[in-house]
C-alpha cells in the first residue's frame, strides 16, 4: 500500500472521507487569497514560447452564495463556541460579501485540518496582506492564540511599482502548533550566516572540571565553545521562482518549503497540502523522505503534479504514490462529465498527453479542446486538433472536426467521446483520408475517433512521435536535500 496520496476533489470532502483523526505531522496550505485574480497553469509551446492560450486553473474569488451560506450554518452547528462567536463577529462587521465568503470557506476547512493534525504537529498558513489579519484572528480562534508560534515574513524582490505607496515585497506565513506537547517537532535548521563578532555573542559555555595528580578534584572552570551559528529568525529572504521557470503562477520556491519541512518534520513523517497547486510541497516531501498527501480541485493541477514527479524523479502514478479521485473506468468518466464538463475535458486531453486549449469561461466555441503536438516535416512541428465530447455524438461532429482541421491547417483531428461512434461517423472519418508523413514514411488517419473506454484500456491516437506540452521541471533527486543555503549578509 502506498504511503503517498494525490487526491482530485474538494479538499473539504477529501479530508472528511479519507484522512483520519490525528494522522498528519505537518500541514502547509497556500490557499487563494481572494485577490480577484484568475491564476492559470502555464503551458509552454514546443517552440519554447509561452502558450497564448492559458488555462484557468481556478478563480481566485469566492462569492457569497448558497454554498457559503450552508457552510456558515454548518460552522454554527459543529464548531466550538469561540469559533462561532468569531465568525458571527466577522459577519456583522463584513456582511455577506466576498471576503466573508472566503473566511467562511477557510474556517470550515481549518476546523477539519485541526482534526487531522497530530498533537505534536504544526500548521503553516501562507497568505498575503490582503487577508492575513483576518486569517490570523481566525487561526487564534480555531487553534488557540497561545499556540501561535510565528508570523514568518517571506521577503522577496520584484520589479518596482509606480503606485503611491511602498512596494509590496512580502507574504506572511502563520505558524501554529496544535498543543504545547514537549514532543512537538521543531528542528533548528539553516543557521544564519553572520560576522565572527556576531557569532562570538552566540558562543556556548561548558563547565570543565578535572583532578590533579593525587586524584584531588580541581575547581570547576567555564570554557567557551565555538558558536555553531545564529538561529534562524522569522524573516526569510528567499527569491521568488522567476516567471520563465514557473509551472504555475503562484508557484513557491523549493527552498521555502524545504525549510518548513525540515523545521517541523522528521524523516518518515506525514505532510499534507490541501491546496497543492503545482506540487512544490509534495516534491519537497519526497526529496526529504517524508510521506505526503496532496489535494487539488482541478484535473489540470493533478495532471501537472503527476507530470512534474515523473519528469523530476521518474515516478509514475501507482509506483511511489496513489492517485485517488480520477476516473478509473467508464462509469467514473461519466460521473466526472456529469459533475463538470470542463474538468472532464481537461482530464481527457491530459490523459493522451495533449495540451488543453481555452478555459472554463463563456465565449466563442472554436471547436478545439486541446492540441497534441508531434514531429512534423522538415523539422517543423505538427499539431493535432483534439475535440472532446461528453454527450451524444453524431456524424455532424465528424464534419465539424474536419472543418476545424482544414481551418487550422492541421494534419490530424482526434475526437474523444464517451459514446460509441455510429457507423456513419466512422465512414465520414474514413472519407477524410490520411495525413502522410514523409519523415516517418507512414500514413495516419486525418480524423481519428477514440472512445473513453478504449482510452482507459490503453489505446492512444495514431500520430507521429509526440512532444510534451508542459514546461520542463528541473531534474532532482532525494540526495539534493543535502545542500542547504545560508542567507547572504546584507
Amino acid at each position: 500500500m502506498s504511503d503517498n496520496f494525490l487526491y482530485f476533489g474538494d479538499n473539504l470532502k477529501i479530508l472528511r472521507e479519507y484522512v483520519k483523526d490525528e494522522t498528519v505531522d505537518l500541514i502547509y496550505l497556500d490557499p487563494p487569497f481572494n485577490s480577484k485574480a484568475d491564476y492559470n497553469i502555464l503551458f509552454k509551446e514546443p517552440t519554447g514560447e509561452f502558450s497564448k492560450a492559458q488555462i484557468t486553473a481556478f478563480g481566485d474569488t469566492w462569492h457569497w452564495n448558497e454554498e457559503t451560506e450552508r457552510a456558515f450554518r454548518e460552522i454554527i452547528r459543529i464548531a466550538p463556541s469561540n469559533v462561532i462567536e468569531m465568525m458571527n463577529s466577522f459577519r456583522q462587521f463584513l456582511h455577506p460579501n466576498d471576503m466573508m465568503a472566503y473566511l467562511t470557506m477557510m474556517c470550515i476547512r481549518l476546523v477539519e485540518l485541526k482534526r487531522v493534525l497530530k498533537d505534536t504537529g504544526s500548521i503553516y498558513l501562507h497568505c498575503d496582506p490582503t487577508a492575513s489579519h483576518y486569517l490570523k484572528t481566525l487561526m487564534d480562534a480555531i487553534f488557540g492564540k497561545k499556540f501561535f508560534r510565528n508570523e514568518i515574513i517571506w521577503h522577496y524582490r520584484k520589479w518596482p511599482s509606480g503606485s503611491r505607496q511602498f512596494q509590496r515585497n512580502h507574504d506572511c506565513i502563520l505558524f501554529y502548533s496544535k498543543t504545547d506537547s514537549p514532543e512537538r517537532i521543531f528542528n533548528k535548521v539553516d543557521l544564519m550566516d553572520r560576522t565572527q563578532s556576531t557569532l562570538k555573542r552566540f558562543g556556548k559555555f561548558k563547565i570543565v572540571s578535572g583532578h590533579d595528580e593525587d586524584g584531588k578534584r580541581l575547581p570547576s572552570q567555564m570554557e567557551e565553545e565555538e558558536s555553531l551559528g545564529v538561529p534562524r529568525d522569522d524573516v526569510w529572504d528567499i527569491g521568488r521562482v522567476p516567471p520563465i521557470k514557473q509551472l504555475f503562477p503562484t508557484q513557491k520556491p523549493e527552498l521555502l518549503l524545504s525549510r518548513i519541512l525540515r523545521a517541523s518534520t522528521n524523516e518518515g513523517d506525514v505532510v499534507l497540502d490541501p491546496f497543492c497547486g503545482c506540487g512544490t510541497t509534495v516534491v519537497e516531501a519526497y526529496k526529504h523522505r517524508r510521506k505526503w498527501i496532496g489535494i487539488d480541485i482541478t484535473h489540470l493541477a493533478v495532471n501537472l503534479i503527476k507530470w512534474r514527479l515523473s519528469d523530476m524523479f521518474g515516478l509514475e502514478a501507482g509506483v511511489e504514490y496513489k492517485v485517488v479521485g480520477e476516473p478509473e473506468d467508464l462509469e467514473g468518466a461519466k460521473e466526472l462529465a456529469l459533475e463538470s464538463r470542463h474538468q472532464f475535458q481537461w482530464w481527457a486531453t491530459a490523459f493522451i498527453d495533449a495540451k488543453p486549449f481555452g478555459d472554463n469561461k463563456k465565449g466563442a466555441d472554436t471547436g478545439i479542446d486541446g492540441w497534441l503536438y508531434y514531429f512534423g516535416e522538415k523539422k517543423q512541428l505538427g499539431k493535432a486538433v483534439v475535440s472532446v465530447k461528453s454527450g451524444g455524438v453524431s456524424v455532424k461532429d465528424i464534419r465539424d472536426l474536419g472543418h476545424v482541421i482544414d481551418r487550422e491547417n492541421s494534419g490530424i483531428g482526434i475526437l474523444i467521446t464517451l459514446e460509441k461512434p455510429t457507423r456513419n461517423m466512422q465512414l465520414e472519418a474514413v472519407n477524410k483520408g490520411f495525413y502522410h508523413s514523409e519523415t516517418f514514411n507512414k500514413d495516419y488517419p486525418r480524423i481519428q475517433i477514440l472512445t473513453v473506454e478504449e482510452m482507459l484500456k490503453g489505446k492512444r491516437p495514431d500520430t507521429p512521435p509526440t512532444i510534451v506540452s508542459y514546461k520542463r521541471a528541473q531534474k532532482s533527486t532525494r540526495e539534493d536535500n543535502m545542500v542547504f543555503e545560508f542567507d547572504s549578509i546584507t
Side-chain angles (χ1 to χ4, degrees):
M1 182 176 178
S2 177
D3 291 326
N4 306 314
F5 295 90
L6 179 58
Y7 291 96
F8 161 71
D10 184 338
N11 51 28
L12 182 62
K13 184 174 184 289
I14 298 298
L15 287 167
R16 288 174 169 174
E17 293 185 2
Y18 292 98
V19 188
K20 297 180 180 179
D21 295 359
E22 299 181 3
T23 54
V24 175
D25 297 284
L26 169 66
I27 298 169
Y28 169 84
L29 63 159
D30 180 18
F33 296 154
N34 200 49
S35 59
K36 302 186 185 300
D38 284 335
Y39 294 129
N40 303 307
I41 286 181
L42 295 181
F43 290 90
K44 190 178 181 182
E45 302 286 5
T47 58
E49 298 176 350
F50 289 111
S51 174
K52 295 179 181 178
Q54 295 299 311
I55 308 299
T56 302
F58 56 85
D60 187 14
T61 306
W62 280 318
H63 301 289
W64 193 269
N65 51 29
E66 182 179 336
E67 182 184 5
T68 46
E69 181 65 41
R70 289 180 182 276
F72 184 85
R73 293 188 180 189
E74 185 175 1
I75 291 169
I76 300 303
R77 188 172 67 254
I78 68 171
S81 58
N82 58 325
V83 176
I84 295 172
E85 291 175 9
M86 181 59 67
M87 291 301 294
N88 274 324
S89 298
F90 277 147
R91 186 164 185 170
Q92 291 175 14
F93 174 65
L94 295 170
H95 308 294
N97 58 15
D98 290 351
M99 180 59 78
M100 188 62 210
Y102 175 75
L103 293 172
T104 299
M105 301 305 279
M106 284 303 302
C107 177
I108 198 164
R109 286 161 174 78
L110 287 168
V111 170
E112 287 299 316
L113 292 172
K114 182 181 180 182
R115 173 185 64 80
V116 304
L117 191 62
K118 293 180 181 178
D119 285 346
T120 54
S122 300
I123 180 169
Y124 291 74
L125 172 56
H126 194 134
C127 50
D128 72 0
T130 305
S132 60
H133 47 305
Y134 295 119
L135 290 172
K136 186 174 186 299
T137 305
L138 183 58
M139 292 285 282
D140 281 347
I142 294 173
F143 285 89
K145 59 184 180 181
K146 74 174 183 176
F147 299 125
F148 167 71
R149 300 303 172 190
N150 287 107
E151 180 179 27
I152 298 165
I153 302 300
W154 171 36
H155 176 254
Y156 44 78
R157 294 180 178 86
K158 58 186 178 183
W159 288 107
S161 67
S163 57
R164 295 173 60 86
Q165 62 191 33
F166 295 110
Q167 178 75 5
R168 294 177 180 173
N169 273 358
H170 82 277
D171 286 358
C172 306
I173 304 174
L174 304 176
F175 168 28
Y176 283 74
S177 64
K178 187 172 180 180
T179 67
D180 268 329
S181 168
E183 304 299 319
R184 179 173 68 90
I185 301 169
F186 187 74
N187 305 309
K188 293 183 179 180
V189 296
D190 288 353
L191 299 174
M192 299 168 66
D193 189 13
R194 291 295 184 264
T195 63
Q196 287 300 315
S197 60
T198 302
L199 290 176
K200 187 175 180 180
R201 294 179 53 201
F202 287 84
K204 296 182 178 180
F205 292 88
K206 63 181 179 179
I207 300 176
V208 180
S209 61
H211 299 81
D212 61 19
E213 295 179 354
D214 298 327
K216 185 177 180 181
R217 185 180 181 87
L218 296 172
S220 298
Q221 296 179 340
M222 299 289 290
E223 289 188 4
E224 184 177 1
E225 291 183 317
E226 183 179 354
S227 172
L228 296 176
V230 182
R232 172 68 52 193
D233 63 20
D234 58 4
V235 178
W236 299 356
D237 281 291
I238 298 175
R240 298 192 307 164
V241 180
I244 195 171
K245 294 184 178 181
Q246 288 178 351
L247 301 172
F248 204 79
T250 56
Q251 182 175 346
K252 300 305 182 289
E254 293 180 3
L255 179 58
L256 183 73
L257 271 300
S258 172
R259 185 172 292 169
I260 291 172
L261 263 65
R262 287 181 287 114
S264 292
T265 61
N266 295 320
E267 189 171 319
D269 287 346
V270 178
V271 178
L272 165 66
D273 187 340
F275 297 89
C276 60
C278 65
T280 302
T281 303
V282 302
V283 164
E284 287 303 303
Y286 178 79
K287 282 167 62 175
H288 294 291
R289 294 180 172 84
R290 274 63 167 170
K291 301 172 186 176
W292 53 265
I293 301 169
I295 309 171
D296 204 275
I297 199 169
T298 73
H299 273 294
L300 287 171
V302 170
N303 281 302
L304 176 60
I305 294 167
K306 288 162 57 179
W307 170 84
R308 186 177 180 185
L309 289 169
S310 176
D311 197 45
M312 292 182 72
F313 308 110
L315 302 184
E316 297 294 341
V319 177
E320 294 272 357
Y321 64 98
K322 180 175 177 58
V323 181
V324 179
E326 286 192 320
E328 296 181 353
D329 52 29
L330 185 59
E331 288 306 312
K334 288 180 178 179
E335 289 178 9
L336 177 61
L338 288 173
E339 180 182 326
S340 171
R341 179 172 62 89
H342 291 287
Q343 293 287 353
F344 174 76
Q345 288 178 356
W346 293 339
W347 169 75
T349 52
F351 201 93
I352 62 169
D353 295 325
K355 183 190 73 175
F357 176 82
D359 59 28
N360 59 358
K361 297 179 180 179
K362 294 181 180 179
D365 186 359
T366 63
I368 305 171
D369 295 317
W371 292 109
L372 183 63
Y373 287 95
Y374 57 82
F375 289 98
E377 306 306 309
K378 298 179 181 180
K379 299 183 179 180
Q380 298 297 311
L381 291 171
K383 57 181 182 179
V385 172
V386 180
S387 177
V388 180
K389 300 298 180 182
S390 56
V393 288
S394 69
V395 69
K396 178 180 180 298
D397 296 303
I398 302 298
R399 292 171 183 157
D400 289 344
L401 181 56
H403 293 321
V404 172
I405 62 176
D406 289 341
R407 183 191 74 207
E408 300 293 330
N409 195 27
S410 177
I412 298 172
I414 302 162
L415 178 68
I416 300 176
T417 172
L418 270 174
E419 304 295 329
K420 291 183 178 180
T422 65
R423 177 63 178 166
N424 286 339
M425 290 174 63
Q426 293 171 332
L427 288 174
E428 187 72 22
V430 170
N431 289 337
K432 194 64 176 176
F434 293 87
Y435 160 73
H436 179 72
S437 170
E438 295 288 347
T439 303
F440 298 97
N441 191 28
K442 182 178 177 181
D443 289 331
Y444 302 91
R446 287 207 72 198
I447 292 185
Q448 302 176 25
I449 305 172
L450 181 64
T451 68
V452 169
E453 187 173 19
E454 291 172 329
M455 192 171 70
L456 288 167
K457 291 179 179 178
K459 185 176 179 180
R460 292 295 180 268
D462 184 16
T463 67
T466 56
I467 302 168
V468 67
S469 59
Y470 290 108
K471 296 200 302 186
R472 306 300 300 183
Q474 183 178 356
K475 297 294 182 183
S476 184
T477 65
R478 281 180 164 173
E479 284 66 35
D480 288 347
N481 68 349
M482 301 303 294
V483 180
F484 304 135
E485 299 180 9
F486 285 101
D487 284 347
S488 299
I489 303 172
T490 58

